[in-house]
Amino acid sequence: MREVIKNAKEQIAKITNNDEECISVTNSLSFDRDDVIFVDDKGKTVVNIVQQTYTDINGKNIRLMDGVKIPAFSSVQLNFGEEKESHIKPFNYDDNTLTTPFAKVQFDENGLISSFIDTVAQRELVSEMPFNTFLMAEDVPTSWDNWDIDADIEMKFKPCATLIERDVVSSGEVAFIIRSKYKISEKSTITQDMIFFANSPEVRFDTYMDWQDDHRFLKTAFDTDVREDFARHEIQFGYCKRPTTRNNSIEQAKFEVVNHKYTDLSEPNYGVTLMNDCKYGISVNGSQISLSLHKGGTHPDVKGDKGLHHAVYSFMPHNCAFNAESVIHPAYKLNIPHIVSDGAFEIKSLVNVDKANIIVESIKPCEDEDKAFVVRLYEAEGTRTNSVITLNDSIIKYAVTNMLEEEIDSIVDGNILNTQFRPFEIKTIKAYY
């Protein structure tokens, strides 16, 4: 993996012009994005961009940039210049109360979110337990120590975090960042940046765990006031609906389920989403969403779970029903950051899709053709959808294939495909140039 990343960076460097007066930012997703860009700060200001700097948990200087819209599979050039003075203050923090453009947030004495009022919907989202409560339980499964979780663990979880220190590390036009350090056991600690954004209701938790415990299981809980019988848990190429109740033995067996980039709990006109970049176990009991952060197994590797672990998760309320724009796109953005390169670089999109719920999951070289590439798409909302797919101007013909890249329809001249997706259907297109 390290060699692949190294090679990719070398290839990027070859196709940029190494202009020291600019950087290029590339969007590798199949939809437009205008979320905050995180880039290593080199002490240079980008002109005409809302921005601020801070030092992250690792001691790295980061520049946050907002208001940059990048079309799907395209790039933009940002030039360095003199800093623009601004007096805009989107955040107000006073006496453990933070007001953002989207919410009024109250923190308790332990630094947890005891109240979260969505000021757009005029709705309190915290139920009984504060948001981001760390829960720990004894974890001694009857077998498969490093993999299994026994159902009785739900009765063992208790709040475990004690606040050691807490500081506001950055406040500006782009974000408000609070850094907290917690003691979660006699041996283990958590250091976390809680990031509020000026352009989004998302609250991001950049989390480092120094884990030294055995046979302990750690979760973070968001006890919401959203009531719904089923939650959506993302899997590859779609999502599964799982019950939020424990009414029978089948539902009880689903005390811990899989989620990839998001779990969403939505009423018809309002919902909340918990997104993550690398933690794939979760439980939803009633209105409480609990993301699994770490497991301290000792078999077969006694020390396998110990050490420093990094994870990012985000809480995102949305003042609408579940859909691609409110849930799926933000989850992709969290997991796939912008590609930032030195110098000028321009790319024309390889493929454009006209519907938000049609996601291009991957683009790759064709296995059996020298002058062709493969596009794999899927429908992400569970909705039958008619879509127009426009390939790059250099494409002379295309064919629909199966997942083995074997053509199942005849080759068509041109670069525009009108097609219909069934719910969660995957389509593969071979494009010739």
Side-chain angles (χ1 to χ4, degrees):
M1 179 61 74
R2 290 178 181 174
E3 286 298 318
V4 171
I5 295 173
K6 178 183 177 183
N7 183 263
K9 290 181 177 179
E10 291 174 351
Q11 294 295 324
I12 291 172
K14 287 180 181 179
I15 59 177
T16 57
N17 66 3
N18 295 320
D19 185 351
E20 295 183 357
E21 298 304 315
C22 68
I23 58 174
S24 296
V25 183
T26 301
N27 173 15
S28 62
L29 297 174
S30 60
F31 46 85
D32 299 350
R33 64 187 302 177
D34 60 357
D35 53 318
V36 173
I37 302 168
F38 287 69
V39 59
D40 291 348
D41 181 34
K42 298 182 179 180
K44 296 181 179 180
T45 301
V46 178
V47 296
N48 300 322
I49 297 296
V50 178
Q51 59 202 288
Q52 75 185 72
T53 59
Y54 85 109
T55 302
D56 70 7
I57 296 176
N58 289 321
K60 183 183 293 185
N61 294 325
I62 301 294
R63 184 172 294 272
L64 306 177
M65 298 184 292
D66 193 10
V68 182
K69 184 174 182 178
I70 312 175
F73 295 126
S74 299
S75 63
V76 297
Q77 179 180 319
L78 304 178
N79 298 312
F80 296 128
E82 294 185 3
E83 185 169 1
K84 180 182 178 182
E85 186 177 357
S86 175
H87 302 286
I88 299 175
K89 295 182 178 179
F91 303 98
N92 181 47
Y93 184 62
D94 181 47
D95 193 27
N96 271 343
T97 299
L98 173 66
T99 303
T100 80
F102 300 91
K104 184 177 181 181
V105 181
Q106 182 75 40
F107 302 98
D108 66 12
E109 68 281 355
N110 219 22
L112 306 176
I113 299 175
S114 57
S115 173
F116 190 107
I117 299 175
D118 183 331
T119 51
V120 178
Q122 289 296 308
R123 177 170 178 167
E124 170 66 74
L125 297 184
V126 177
S127 183
E128 298 179 6
M129 183 188 298
F131 281 177
N132 198 41
T133 296
F134 294 107
L135 304 174
M136 189 178 287
E138 182 186 43
D139 178 38
V140 188
T142 55
S143 58
W144 309 111
D145 190 24
N146 276 21
W147 292 276
D148 270 9
I149 307 170
D150 289 347
D152 64 352
I153 198 171
E154 284 201 303
M155 298 180 289
K156 300 178 182 178
F157 281 111
K158 302 292 182 184
C160 64
T162 301
L163 184 65
I164 299 175
E165 57 186 17
R166 182 175 177 83
D167 296 293
V168 176
V169 296
S170 186
S171 178
E173 286 189 75
V174 181
F176 185 90
I177 306 172
I178 304 175
R179 182 166 300 158
S180 303
K181 186 172 183 180
Y182 297 96
K183 180 180 179 181
I184 58 172
S185 73
E186 291 299 319
K187 301 177 181 178
S188 301
T189 60
I190 288 177
T191 304
Q192 183 178 77
D193 280 354
M194 189 183 300
I195 306 175
F196 297 84
F197 296 99
N199 73 346
S200 169
E202 175 191 354
V203 183
R204 187 172 298 183
F205 301 85
D206 188 5
T207 308
Y208 274 86
M209 296 168 280
D210 185 354
W211 184 269
Q212 303 298 332
D213 280 278
D214 294 330
H215 297 295
R216 294 292 182 271
F217 198 99
L218 179 68
K219 282 180 173 282
T220 178
F222 291 79
D223 189 13
T224 77
D225 79 331
V226 177
R227 303 291 189 264
E228 183 56 42
D229 293 337
F230 292 87
R232 292 177 175 89
H233 305 276
E234 197 212 27
I235 58 173
Q236 190 175 25
F237 301 115
Y239 62 80
C240 282
K241 282 187 175 181
R242 304 283 191 188
T244 62
T245 50
R246 303 287 192 270
N247 291 331
N248 52 53
S249 60
I250 296 175
E251 292 181 357
Q252 291 166 12
K254 298 173 183 178
F255 66 93
E256 180 86 0
V257 298
V258 65
N259 85 139
H260 285 183
K261 292 185 285 293
Y262 67 81
T263 284
D264 181 77
L265 188 62
S266 286
E267 299 168 353
N269 296 310
Y270 194 90
V272 295
T273 303
L274 192 59
M275 307 178 291
N276 82 95
D277 73 340
C278 64
K279 296 297 179 181
Y280 306 130
I282 202 162
S283 58
V284 181
N285 191 348
S287 60
Q288 180 175 305
I289 308 173
S290 302
L291 180 69
S292 300
L293 293 180
H294 206 64
K295 177 179 172 68
T298 60
H299 181 76
D301 189 341
V302 176
K303 298 181 179 180
D305 288 329
K306 293 184 178 179
L308 293 175
H309 300 267
H310 180 228
V312 179
Y313 55 93
S314 290
F315 175 78
M316 169 81 87
H318 50 90
N319 197 18
C320 61
F322 169 89
N323 58 44
E325 292 96 329
S326 64
V327 178
I328 301 168
H329 289 187
Y332 266 91
K333 292 172 185 177
L334 178 67
N335 279 264
I336 304 175
H338 303 82
I339 299 172
V340 181
S341 52
D342 295 328
F345 171 68
E346 184 177 357
I347 184 173
K348 292 187 67 175
S349 179
L350 287 175
V351 56
N352 284 296
V353 183
D354 69 332
K355 298 296 172 60
N357 59 314
I358 305 301
I359 305 293
V360 178
E361 178 64 23
S362 57
I363 299 176
K364 61 179 287 292
C366 184
E367 296 291 336
D368 54 8
E369 295 282 350
D370 290 334
K371 300 197 71 176
F373 61 86
V374 170
V375 181
R376 184 155 292 139
L377 315 91
Y378 75 102
E379 195 287 313
E381 287 181 351
T383 305
R384 186 177 293 270
T385 303
N386 293 316
S387 179
V388 179
I389 301 165
T390 305
L391 301 168
N392 187 275
D393 292 341
S394 64
I395 302 306
I396 57 176
K397 57 185 179 179
Y398 66 85
V400 177
T401 76
N402 59 22
M403 296 187 77
L404 296 177
E405 302 175 21
E406 300 166 339
E407 295 172 5
I408 56 177
D409 285 338
S410 58
I411 295 177
V412 179
D413 292 334
N415 66 333
I416 299 177
L417 171 63
N418 290 278
T419 187
Q420 184 179 88
F421 286 80
R422 299 189 304 275
F424 302 126
E425 182 180 3
I426 305 167
K427 287 185 182 291
T428 305
I429 301 170
K430 183 187 293 186
Y432 297 85
Y433 56 90

